[in-house]
Amino acid sequence: MSFSPLIRQLIDALRILPGVGQKTAQRTALHLLERNRSGALRLAEALEQAMQGVGYCERCRSLSEQPICNLCLDPRRDDNLLCVVEGPLDVQAVEQSGYRGRYFVLRGHLSPLDGLGPESIGIPELLERLEKGAFSELILATNPTVEGEATAHYIAQLLIQKDLLISRIAHGVPLGGELELIDGSTLSHALAGRKPLNPLD
Amino acid sequence: MSFSPLIRQLIDALRILPGVGQKTAQRTALHLLERNRSGALRLAEALEQAMQGVGYCERCRSLSEQPICNLCLDPRRDDNLLCVVEGPLDVQAVEQSGYRGRYFVLRGHLSPLDGLGPESIGIPELLERLEKGAFSELILATNPTVEGEATAHYIAQLLIQKDLLISRIAHGVPLGGELELIDGSTLSHALAGRKPLNPLD
Ligand SMILES: [Zn+2]
Ligand SMILES: [Zn+2]
């Protein structure tokens, strides 16, 4: 017995989910059809609404349903600090460390081999953001991976002439790890132990 | 930063998928929003179409988009044999063993503690199917679990008066396993080694 066209289509579509292979997609499709059709229909609607309703914050470039996100609008945050991360989940991770400045969310990291240069990951928008703000410190919290380090150093070089303290999270961040998987207190240490990349005199 | 309402709704909805916890749901939601919106919209449509378009075959009770499924309509199959399984994935598994008779698909197994009695799993429909057909043998291929064995024996007891060979797949099926995870040749042995539960004289 081969599956009918609509079931095959569902199995194929489920494979776009990270970590879902053919076997898992089959079991998931049949599980939904047999046990949870209402849940599956809610998921269909949630997917559609999110894909169509969620855009990017004009200021920090994080995912947002409004032109400017709540975090950017929050008047209680420190306008002197700008923390640069690789993605929205990293914002969540840094928040857990207790950081209460502003953010700028890149679209990943520089990856020349994949054709991802400064424009692809939002460096021009970062420069624009720096122009419009009045930041005294830029904290580079890209992932502690080879690509994340390279991206941080690229940004530091680009801004070396500016009157701006540029720092990189350092102590406590394990090499080769992914920022969003690190617990809040480790990140807390990393932020506290940040080192300037362009020591101002 | 907490996620915006549409992202939260998507994360919640993703948790209906088997094996998907809060962390995986978060990563999946953001992955789709950042990397694969078109795939996510295709998934939404596939879910909707499958949930609305796939019903059950009137004859074998397997998932089907038509009133009678292709397998039931196939004139080349052996009308003397009826194989009873717990779910649609088990049909796939038994097919791989080379079996070419007919099927009846229960909705799982008897589970009194969960309130699943004979009516809930489709036993009345199985009896009806047996009335309408002219089967010489009923092969009970429920899972080799405690519940699957109990379901097989319940069905065998129910039909003990009929002029029908009732058999249970046996050799090669590991105890405590799930039928759909067993390879075709093991199942092949299990089918070949089936034993009557009501030896006819
Ligand atoms: Zn924002
Ligand atoms: Zn059928």
PDB file of all heavy atoms in Angstrom, chain A residues 133-171:
ATOM      1  N   GLY A 133      21.196  56.233  16.764  1.00  0.00           N
ATOM      2  CA  GLY A 133      21.197  56.158  18.217  1.00  0.00           C
ATOM      3  C   GLY A 133      22.313  57.006  18.802  1.00  0.00           C
ATOM      4  O   GLY A 133      23.027  57.716  18.087  1.00  0.00           O
ATOM      5  N   ALA A 134      22.446  56.963  20.129  1.00  0.00           N
ATOM      6  CA  ALA A 134      23.540  57.675  20.794  1.00  0.00           C
ATOM      7  C   ALA A 134      24.179  56.689  21.765  1.00  0.00           C
ATOM      8  O   ALA A 134      24.163  56.881  22.974  1.00  0.00           O
ATOM      9  CB  ALA A 134      23.004  58.902  21.519  1.00  0.00           C
ATOM     10  N   PHE A 135      24.714  55.631  21.213  1.00  0.00           N
ATOM     11  CA  PHE A 135      25.255  54.556  22.036  1.00  0.00           C
ATOM     12  C   PHE A 135      26.673  54.872  22.486  1.00  0.00           C
ATOM     13  O   PHE A 135      27.446  55.469  21.733  1.00  0.00           O
ATOM     14  CB  PHE A 135      25.256  53.238  21.254  1.00  0.00           C
ATOM     15  CG  PHE A 135      23.878  52.831  20.796  1.00  0.00           C
ATOM     16  CD1 PHE A 135      23.493  52.994  19.469  1.00  0.00           C
ATOM     17  CD2 PHE A 135      22.958  52.320  21.700  1.00  0.00           C
ATOM     18  CE1 PHE A 135      22.234  52.633  19.046  1.00  0.00           C
ATOM     19  CE2 PHE A 135      21.687  51.966  21.289  1.00  0.00           C
ATOM     20  CZ  PHE A 135      21.321  52.129  19.955  1.00  0.00           C
ATOM     21  N   SER A 136      26.997  54.465  23.697  1.00  0.00           N
ATOM     22  CA  SER A 136      28.380  54.628  24.145  1.00  0.00           C
ATOM     23  C   SER A 136      29.139  53.309  24.037  1.00  0.00           C
ATOM     24  O   SER A 136      30.358  53.290  24.045  1.00  0.00           O
ATOM     25  CB  SER A 136      28.410  55.137  25.583  1.00  0.00           C
ATOM     26  OG  SER A 136      27.717  54.230  26.421  1.00  0.00           O
ATOM     27  N   GLU A 137      28.395  52.206  23.943  1.00  0.00           N
ATOM     28  CA  GLU A 137      29.073  50.914  23.837  1.00  0.00           C
ATOM     29  C   GLU A 137      28.309  49.967  22.923  1.00  0.00           C
ATOM     30  O   GLU A 137      27.079  49.881  22.978  1.00  0.00           O
ATOM     31  CB  GLU A 137      29.207  50.256  25.218  1.00  0.00           C
ATOM     32  CG  GLU A 137      29.939  48.915  25.148  1.00  0.00           C
ATOM     33  CD  GLU A 137      30.226  48.317  26.515  1.00  0.00           C
ATOM     34  OE1 GLU A 137      29.993  49.001  27.540  1.00  0.00           O
ATOM     35  OE2 GLU A 137      30.693  47.163  26.560  1.00  0.00           O
ATOM     36  N   LEU A 138      29.074  49.275  22.111  1.00  0.00           N
ATOM     37  CA  LEU A 138      28.510  48.257  21.220  1.00  0.00           C
ATOM     38  C   LEU A 138      29.032  46.906  21.703  1.00  0.00           C
ATOM     39  O   LEU A 138      30.244  46.668  21.704  1.00  0.00           O
ATOM     40  CB  LEU A 138      28.962  48.513  19.781  1.00  0.00           C
ATOM     41  CG  LEU A 138      28.449  47.549  18.703  1.00  0.00           C
ATOM     42  CD1 LEU A 138      26.960  47.750  18.473  1.00  0.00           C
ATOM     43  CD2 LEU A 138      29.214  47.763  17.397  1.00  0.00           C
ATOM     44  N   ILE A 139      28.123  46.034  22.150  1.00  0.00           N
ATOM     45  CA  ILE A 139      28.530  44.724  22.657  1.00  0.00           C
ATOM     46  C   ILE A 139      28.309  43.680  21.578  1.00  0.00           C
ATOM     47  O   ILE A 139      27.175  43.456  21.138  1.00  0.00           O
ATOM     48  CB  ILE A 139      27.698  44.339  23.902  1.00  0.00           C
ATOM     49  CG1 ILE A 139      27.839  45.423  24.974  1.00  0.00           C
ATOM     50  CG2 ILE A 139      28.128  42.978  24.435  1.00  0.00           C
ATOM     51  CD1 ILE A 139      26.938  45.203  26.190  1.00  0.00           C
ATOM     52  N   LEU A 140      29.387  43.058  21.132  1.00  0.00           N
ATOM     53  CA  LEU A 140      29.272  42.065  20.067  1.00  0.00           C
ATOM     54  C   LEU A 140      29.028  40.690  20.689  1.00  0.00           C
ATOM     55  O   LEU A 140      29.932  40.081  21.260  1.00  0.00           O
ATOM     56  CB  LEU A 140      30.530  42.078  19.197  1.00  0.00           C
ATOM     57  CG  LEU A 140      30.772  43.429  18.494  1.00  0.00           C
ATOM     58  CD1 LEU A 140      32.141  43.467  17.841  1.00  0.00           C
ATOM     59  CD2 LEU A 140      29.676  43.718  17.474  1.00  0.00           C
ATOM     60  N   ALA A 141      27.789  40.233  20.601  1.00  0.00           N
ATOM     61  CA  ALA A 141      27.418  38.949  21.216  1.00  0.00           C
ATOM     62  C   ALA A 141      27.055  37.933  20.142  1.00  0.00           C
ATOM     63  O   ALA A 141      26.117  37.160  20.290  1.00  0.00           O
ATOM     64  CB  ALA A 141      26.273  39.145  22.206  1.00  0.00           C
ATOM     65  N   THR A 142      27.807  37.949  19.058  1.00  0.00           N
ATOM     66  CA  THR A 142      27.633  36.887  18.050  1.00  0.00           C
ATOM     67  C   THR A 142      28.109  35.577  18.675  1.00  0.00           C
ATOM     68  O   THR A 142      28.787  35.589  19.706  1.00  0.00           O
ATOM     69  CB  THR A 142      28.459  37.203  16.782  1.00  0.00           C
ATOM     70  OG1 THR A 142      29.787  37.534  17.191  1.00  0.00           O
ATOM     71  CG2 THR A 142      27.858  38.379  16.021  1.00  0.00           C
ATOM     72  N   ASN A 143      27.735  34.459  18.053  1.00  0.00           N
ATOM     73  CA  ASN A 143      28.083  33.157  18.632  1.00  0.00           C
ATOM     74  C   ASN A 143      29.591  32.969  18.777  1.00  0.00           C
ATOM     75  O   ASN A 143      30.355  33.465  17.953  1.00  0.00           O
ATOM     76  CB  ASN A 143      27.554  32.025  17.740  1.00  0.00           C
ATOM     77  CG  ASN A 143      26.056  31.806  17.921  1.00  0.00           C
ATOM     78  OD1 ASN A 143      25.511  32.056  18.984  1.00  0.00           O
ATOM     79  ND2 ASN A 143      25.404  31.354  16.865  1.00  0.00           N
ATOM     80  N   PRO A 144      30.032  32.257  19.810  1.00  0.00           N
ATOM     81  CA  PRO A 144      31.462  31.977  19.990  1.00  0.00           C
ATOM     82  C   PRO A 144      31.938  30.851  19.077  1.00  0.00           C
ATOM     83  O   PRO A 144      32.582  29.913  19.527  1.00  0.00           O
ATOM     84  CB  PRO A 144      31.535  31.583  21.471  1.00  0.00           C
ATOM     85  CG  PRO A 144      30.203  30.994  21.760  1.00  0.00           C
ATOM     86  CD  PRO A 144      29.217  31.739  20.913  1.00  0.00           C
ATOM     87  N   THR A 145      31.583  30.966  17.796  1.00  0.00           N
ATOM     88  CA  THR A 145      32.035  30.004  16.793  1.00  0.00           C
ATOM     89  C   THR A 145      33.017  30.716  15.874  1.00  0.00           C
ATOM     90  O   THR A 145      33.181  31.940  15.959  1.00  0.00           O
ATOM     91  CB  THR A 145      30.851  29.529  15.928  1.00  0.00           C
ATOM     92  OG1 THR A 145      30.223  30.690  15.372  1.00  0.00           O
ATOM     93  CG2 THR A 145      29.835  28.762  16.759  1.00  0.00           C
ATOM     94  N   VAL A 146      33.657  30.003  14.984  1.00  0.00           N
ATOM     95  CA  VAL A 146      34.607  30.623  14.051  1.00  0.00           C
ATOM     96  C   VAL A 146      33.912  31.748  13.278  1.00  0.00           C
ATOM     97  O   VAL A 146      34.422  32.861  13.167  1.00  0.00           O
ATOM     98  CB  VAL A 146      35.176  29.564  13.075  1.00  0.00           C
ATOM     99  CG1 VAL A 146      36.033  30.225  12.003  1.00  0.00           C
ATOM    100  CG2 VAL A 146      36.000  28.535  13.842  1.00  0.00           C
ATOM    101  N   GLU A 147      32.700  31.455  12.756  1.00  0.00           N
ATOM    102  CA  GLU A 147      31.981  32.450  11.962  1.00  0.00           C
ATOM    103  C   GLU A 147      31.527  33.635  12.812  1.00  0.00           C
ATOM    104  O   GLU A 147      31.563  34.780  12.356  1.00  0.00           O
ATOM    105  CB  GLU A 147      30.757  31.831  11.281  1.00  0.00           C
ATOM    106  CG  GLU A 147      31.075  30.732  10.281  1.00  0.00           C
ATOM    107  CD  GLU A 147      31.174  29.360  10.947  1.00  0.00           C
ATOM    108  OE1 GLU A 147      31.117  29.295  12.196  1.00  0.00           O
ATOM    109  OE2 GLU A 147      31.315  28.366  10.206  1.00  0.00           O
ATOM    110  N   GLY A 148      31.081  33.330  14.029  1.00  0.00           N
ATOM    111  CA  GLY A 148      30.629  34.403  14.924  1.00  0.00           C
ATOM    112  C   GLY A 148      31.779  35.324  15.303  1.00  0.00           C
ATOM    113  O   GLY A 148      31.625  36.554  15.335  1.00  0.00           O
ATOM    114  N   GLU A 149      32.948  34.739  15.575  1.00  0.00           N
ATOM    115  CA  GLU A 149      34.134  35.534  15.899  1.00  0.00           C
ATOM    116  C   GLU A 149      34.521  36.408  14.718  1.00  0.00           C
ATOM    117  O   GLU A 149      34.832  37.589  14.867  1.00  0.00           O
ATOM    118  CB  GLU A 149      35.327  34.623  16.252  1.00  0.00           C
ATOM    119  CG  GLU A 149      35.165  33.786  17.518  1.00  0.00           C
ATOM    120  CD  GLU A 149      35.199  34.627  18.800  1.00  0.00           C
ATOM    121  OE1 GLU A 149      35.641  35.783  18.764  1.00  0.00           O
ATOM    122  OE2 GLU A 149      34.751  34.101  19.842  1.00  0.00           O
ATOM    123  N   ALA A 150      34.516  35.806  13.527  1.00  0.00           N
ATOM    124  CA  ALA A 150      34.897  36.548  12.320  1.00  0.00           C
ATOM    125  C   ALA A 150      33.942  37.712  12.095  1.00  0.00           C
ATOM    126  O   ALA A 150      34.363  38.824  11.743  1.00  0.00           O
ATOM    127  CB  ALA A 150      34.901  35.620  11.112  1.00  0.00           C
ATOM    128  N   THR A 151      32.654  37.464  12.330  1.00  0.00           N
ATOM    129  CA  THR A 151      31.660  38.516  12.152  1.00  0.00           C
ATOM    130  C   THR A 151      31.889  39.646  13.154  1.00  0.00           C
ATOM    131  O   THR A 151      31.842  40.838  12.807  1.00  0.00           O
ATOM    132  CB  THR A 151      30.237  37.929  12.321  1.00  0.00           C
ATOM    133  OG1 THR A 151      30.081  36.844  11.392  1.00  0.00           O
ATOM    134  CG2 THR A 151      29.177  38.979  12.057  1.00  0.00           C
ATOM    135  N   ALA A 152      32.182  39.275  14.405  1.00  0.00           N
ATOM    136  CA  ALA A 152      32.454  40.285  15.439  1.00  0.00           C
ATOM    137  C   ALA A 152      33.670  41.131  15.064  1.00  0.00           C
ATOM    138  O   ALA A 152      33.644  42.365  15.154  1.00  0.00           O
ATOM    139  CB  ALA A 152      32.670  39.607  16.792  1.00  0.00           C
ATOM    140  N   HIS A 153      34.725  40.463  14.604  1.00  0.00           N
ATOM    141  CA  HIS A 153      35.931  41.215  14.256  1.00  0.00           C
ATOM    142  C   HIS A 153      35.728  42.076  13.024  1.00  0.00           C
ATOM    143  O   HIS A 153      36.257  43.179  12.922  1.00  0.00           O
ATOM    144  CB  HIS A 153      37.129  40.272  14.113  1.00  0.00           C
ATOM    145  CG  HIS A 153      37.708  39.928  15.446  1.00  0.00           C
ATOM    146  ND1 HIS A 153      37.257  38.858  16.205  1.00  0.00           N
ATOM    147  CD2 HIS A 153      38.645  40.563  16.207  1.00  0.00           C
ATOM    148  CE1 HIS A 153      37.903  38.825  17.361  1.00  0.00           C
ATOM    149  NE2 HIS A 153      38.751  39.850  17.381  1.00  0.00           N
ATOM    150  N   TYR A 154      34.919  41.597  12.101  1.00  0.00           N
ATOM    151  CA  TYR A 154      34.605  42.401  10.923  1.00  0.00           C
ATOM    152  C   TYR A 154      33.923  43.699  11.351  1.00  0.00           C
ATOM    153  O   TYR A 154      34.279  44.790  10.905  1.00  0.00           O
ATOM    154  CB  TYR A 154      33.712  41.617   9.957  1.00  0.00           C
ATOM    155  CG  TYR A 154      33.257  42.425   8.767  1.00  0.00           C
ATOM    156  CD1 TYR A 154      34.054  42.512   7.617  1.00  0.00           C
ATOM    157  CD2 TYR A 154      32.048  43.114   8.804  1.00  0.00           C
ATOM    158  CE1 TYR A 154      33.641  43.284   6.540  1.00  0.00           C
ATOM    159  CE2 TYR A 154      31.637  43.885   7.732  1.00  0.00           C
ATOM    160  CZ  TYR A 154      32.438  43.965   6.596  1.00  0.00           C
ATOM    161  OH  TYR A 154      32.032  44.730   5.543  1.00  0.00           O
ATOM    162  N   ILE A 155      32.933  43.581  12.240  1.00  0.00           N
ATOM    163  CA  ILE A 155      32.194  44.762  12.694  1.00  0.00           C
ATOM    164  C   ILE A 155      33.125  45.694  13.477  1.00  0.00           C
ATOM    165  O   ILE A 155      33.103  46.917  13.292  1.00  0.00           O
ATOM    166  CB  ILE A 155      30.989  44.339  13.566  1.00  0.00           C
ATOM    167  CG1 ILE A 155      29.977  43.567  12.717  1.00  0.00           C
ATOM    168  CG2 ILE A 155      30.324  45.554  14.206  1.00  0.00           C
ATOM    169  CD1 ILE A 155      28.875  42.883  13.518  1.00  0.00           C
ATOM    170  N   ALA A 156      33.977  45.116  14.319  1.00  0.00           N
ATOM    171  CA  ALA A 156      34.895  45.934  15.117  1.00  0.00           C
ATOM    172  C   ALA A 156      35.827  46.742  14.209  1.00  0.00           C
ATOM    173  O   ALA A 156      36.045  47.939  14.421  1.00  0.00           O
ATOM    174  CB  ALA A 156      35.703  45.042  16.050  1.00  0.00           C
ATOM    175  N   GLN A 157      36.350  46.083  13.169  1.00  0.00           N
ATOM    176  CA  GLN A 157      37.250  46.767  12.232  1.00  0.00           C
ATOM    177  C   GLN A 157      36.548  47.915  11.532  1.00  0.00           C
ATOM    178  O   GLN A 157      37.100  48.996  11.337  1.00  0.00           O
ATOM    179  CB  GLN A 157      37.771  45.772  11.176  1.00  0.00           C
ATOM    180  CG  GLN A 157      38.857  44.851  11.679  1.00  0.00           C
ATOM    181  CD  GLN A 157      40.048  45.624  12.229  1.00  0.00           C
ATOM    182  OE1 GLN A 157      40.550  46.543  11.587  1.00  0.00           O
ATOM    183  NE2 GLN A 157      40.475  45.282  13.440  1.00  0.00           N
ATOM    184  N   LEU A 158      35.290  47.652  11.157  1.00  0.00           N
ATOM    185  CA  LEU A 158      34.500  48.622  10.409  1.00  0.00           C
ATOM    186  C   LEU A 158      34.288  49.905  11.215  1.00  0.00           C
ATOM    187  O   LEU A 158      34.162  50.994  10.662  1.00  0.00           O
ATOM    188  CB  LEU A 158      33.137  47.971  10.122  1.00  0.00           C
ATOM    189  CG  LEU A 158      32.373  48.322   8.877  1.00  0.00           C
ATOM    190  CD1 LEU A 158      33.188  47.999   7.650  1.00  0.00           C
ATOM    191  CD2 LEU A 158      31.062  47.533   8.857  1.00  0.00           C
ATOM    192  N   LEU A 159      34.242  49.767  12.543  1.00  0.00           N
ATOM    193  CA  LEU A 159      33.851  50.885  13.404  1.00  0.00           C
ATOM    194  C   LEU A 159      35.015  51.438  14.202  1.00  0.00           C
ATOM    195  O   LEU A 159      34.841  52.251  15.109  1.00  0.00           O
ATOM    196  CB  LEU A 159      32.744  50.419  14.371  1.00  0.00           C
ATOM    197  CG  LEU A 159      31.456  49.945  13.705  1.00  0.00           C
ATOM    198  CD1 LEU A 159      30.546  49.300  14.731  1.00  0.00           C
ATOM    199  CD2 LEU A 159      30.755  51.116  13.026  1.00  0.00           C
ATOM    200  N   ILE A 160      36.222  51.004  13.865  1.00  0.00           N
ATOM    201  CA  ILE A 160      37.368  51.291  14.721  1.00  0.00           C
ATOM    202  C   ILE A 160      37.635  52.786  14.874  1.00  0.00           C
ATOM    203  O   ILE A 160      38.169  53.229  15.889  1.00  0.00           O
ATOM    204  CB  ILE A 160      38.618  50.518  14.208  1.00  0.00           C
ATOM    205  CG1 ILE A 160      39.599  50.305  15.350  1.00  0.00           C
ATOM    206  CG2 ILE A 160      39.258  51.229  13.019  1.00  0.00           C
ATOM    207  CD1 ILE A 160      40.477  49.089  15.153  1.00  0.00           C
ATOM    208  N   GLN A 161      37.210  53.577  13.875  1.00  0.00           N
ATOM    209  CA  GLN A 161      37.444  55.020  13.919  1.00  0.00           C
ATOM    210  C   GLN A 161      36.433  55.771  14.787  1.00  0.00           C
ATOM    211  O   GLN A 161      36.634  56.929  15.104  1.00  0.00           O
ATOM    212  CB  GLN A 161      37.374  55.609  12.491  1.00  0.00           C
ATOM    213  CG  GLN A 161      38.304  54.952  11.480  1.00  0.00           C
ATOM    214  CD  GLN A 161      39.772  55.325  11.693  1.00  0.00           C
ATOM    215  OE1 GLN A 161      40.117  56.022  12.659  1.00  0.00           O
ATOM    216  NE2 GLN A 161      40.634  54.852  10.797  1.00  0.00           N
ATOM    217  N   LYS A 162      35.314  55.129  15.084  1.00  0.00           N
ATOM    218  CA  LYS A 162      34.240  55.823  15.801  1.00  0.00           C
ATOM    219  C   LYS A 162      34.560  56.000  17.276  1.00  0.00           C
ATOM    220  O   LYS A 162      35.277  55.201  17.868  1.00  0.00           O
ATOM    221  CB  LYS A 162      32.929  55.034  15.679  1.00  0.00           C
ATOM    222  CG  LYS A 162      32.542  54.744  14.246  1.00  0.00           C
ATOM    223  CD  LYS A 162      31.211  55.354  13.900  1.00  0.00           C
ATOM    224  CE  LYS A 162      30.871  55.008  12.457  1.00  0.00           C
ATOM    225  NZ  LYS A 162      29.873  55.891  11.882  1.00  0.00           N
ATOM    226  N   ASP A 163      33.962  56.979  17.874  1.00  0.00           N
ATOM    227  CA  ASP A 163      34.114  57.213  19.299  1.00  0.00           C
ATOM    228  C   ASP A 163      33.108  56.345  20.049  1.00  0.00           C
ATOM    229  O   ASP A 163      32.099  56.834  20.545  1.00  0.00           O
ATOM    230  CB  ASP A 163      33.878  58.698  19.603  1.00  0.00           C
ATOM    231  CG  ASP A 163      34.175  59.004  21.068  1.00  0.00           C
ATOM    232  OD1 ASP A 163      35.021  58.302  21.664  1.00  0.00           O
ATOM    233  OD2 ASP A 163      33.535  59.918  21.601  1.00  0.00           O
ATOM    234  N   LEU A 164      33.376  55.082  20.071  1.00  0.00           N
ATOM    235  CA  LEU A 164      32.412  54.102  20.573  1.00  0.00           C
ATOM    236  C   LEU A 164      33.197  52.944  21.164  1.00  0.00           C
ATOM    237  O   LEU A 164      34.119  52.433  20.526  1.00  0.00           O
ATOM    238  CB  LEU A 164      31.578  53.616  19.381  1.00  0.00           C
ATOM    239  CG  LEU A 164      30.486  52.569  19.602  1.00  0.00           C
ATOM    240  CD1 LEU A 164      29.315  53.178  20.350  1.00  0.00           C
ATOM    241  CD2 LEU A 164      30.022  52.027  18.246  1.00  0.00           C
ATOM    242  N   LEU A 165      32.858  52.566  22.388  1.00  0.00           N
ATOM    243  CA  LEU A 165      33.511  51.401  22.960  1.00  0.00           C
ATOM    244  C   LEU A 165      32.915  50.153  22.311  1.00  0.00           C
ATOM    245  O   LEU A 165      31.702  49.976  22.305  1.00  0.00           O
ATOM    246  CB  LEU A 165      33.294  51.368  24.484  1.00  0.00           C
ATOM    247  CG  LEU A 165      33.974  50.199  25.217  1.00  0.00           C
ATOM    248  CD1 LEU A 165      35.492  50.282  25.105  1.00  0.00           C
ATOM    249  CD2 LEU A 165      33.551  50.189  26.677  1.00  0.00           C
ATOM    250  N   ILE A 166      33.782  49.316  21.741  1.00  0.00           N
ATOM    251  CA  ILE A 166      33.309  48.085  21.116  1.00  0.00           C
ATOM    252  C   ILE A 166      33.805  46.919  21.948  1.00  0.00           C
ATOM    253  O   ILE A 166      35.006  46.773  22.154  1.00  0.00           O
ATOM    254  CB  ILE A 166      33.833  47.960  19.678  1.00  0.00           C
ATOM    255  CG1 ILE A 166      33.408  49.195  18.867  1.00  0.00           C
ATOM    256  CG2 ILE A 166      33.307  46.690  19.017  1.00  0.00           C
ATOM    257  CD1 ILE A 166      34.016  49.245  17.476  1.00  0.00           C
ATOM    258  N   SER A 167      32.889  46.107  22.455  1.00  0.00           N
ATOM    259  CA  SER A 167      33.324  44.995  23.308  1.00  0.00           C
ATOM    260  C   SER A 167      32.787  43.674  22.772  1.00  0.00           C
ATOM    261  O   SER A 167      31.848  43.628  21.984  1.00  0.00           O
ATOM    262  CB  SER A 167      32.863  45.220  24.744  1.00  0.00           C
ATOM    263  OG  SER A 167      31.460  45.320  24.796  1.00  0.00           O
ATOM    264  N   ARG A 168      33.428  42.626  23.225  1.00  0.00           N
ATOM    265  CA  ARG A 168      33.059  41.280  22.798  1.00  0.00           C
ATOM    266  C   ARG A 168      32.811  40.440  24.043  1.00  0.00           C
ATOM    267  O   ARG A 168      33.649  40.437  24.934  1.00  0.00           O
ATOM    268  CB  ARG A 168      34.219  40.687  21.971  1.00  0.00           C
ATOM    269  CG  ARG A 168      34.075  39.233  21.589  1.00  0.00           C
ATOM    270  CD  ARG A 168      33.303  39.088  20.297  1.00  0.00           C
ATOM    271  NE  ARG A 168      33.190  37.683  19.862  1.00  0.00           N
ATOM    272  CZ  ARG A 168      32.043  36.999  19.889  1.00  0.00           C
ATOM    273  NH1 ARG A 168      30.932  37.576  20.299  1.00  0.00           N
ATOM    274  NH2 ARG A 168      32.007  35.752  19.461  1.00  0.00           N
ATOM    275  N   ILE A 169      31.680  39.750  24.111  1.00  0.00           N
ATOM    276  CA  ILE A 169      31.461  38.892  25.268  1.00  0.00           C
ATOM    277  C   ILE A 169      32.588  37.867  25.295  1.00  0.00           C
ATOM    278  O   ILE A 169      33.034  37.394  24.261  1.00  0.00           O
ATOM    279  CB  ILE A 169      30.104  38.160  25.236  1.00  0.00           C
ATOM    280  CG1 ILE A 169      29.886  37.447  23.907  1.00  0.00           C
ATOM    281  CG2 ILE A 169      28.972  39.122  25.529  1.00  0.00           C
ATOM    282  CD1 ILE A 169      28.743  36.446  23.937  1.00  0.00           C
ATOM    283  N   ALA A 170      33.039  37.532  26.493  1.00  0.00           N
ATOM    284  CA  ALA A 170      34.244  36.708  26.530  1.00  0.00           C
ATOM    285  C   ALA A 170      34.208  35.596  27.563  1.00  0.00           C
ATOM    286  O   ALA A 170      33.930  34.450  27.226  1.00  0.00           O
ATOM    287  CB  ALA A 170      35.457  37.588  26.797  1.00  0.00           C
ATOM    288  N   HIS A 171      34.452  35.922  28.821  1.00  0.00           N
ATOM    289  CA  HIS A 171      34.620  34.868  29.816  1.00  0.00           C
ATOM    290  C   HIS A 171      33.371  34.040  29.976  1.00  0.00           C
ATOM    291  O   HIS A 171      32.280  34.568  30.074  1.00  0.00           O
ATOM    292  CB  HIS A 171      35.005  35.471  31.161  1.00  0.00           C
ATOM    293  CG  HIS A 171      36.300  36.212  31.090  1.00  0.00           C
ATOM    294  ND1 HIS A 171      36.381  37.576  31.183  1.00  0.00           N
ATOM    295  CD2 HIS A 171      37.562  35.767  30.897  1.00  0.00           C
ATOM    296  CE1 HIS A 171      37.639  37.951  31.064  1.00  0.00           C
ATOM    297  NE2 HIS A 171      38.382  36.868  30.885  1.00  0.00           N
TER     298      HIS A 171
END
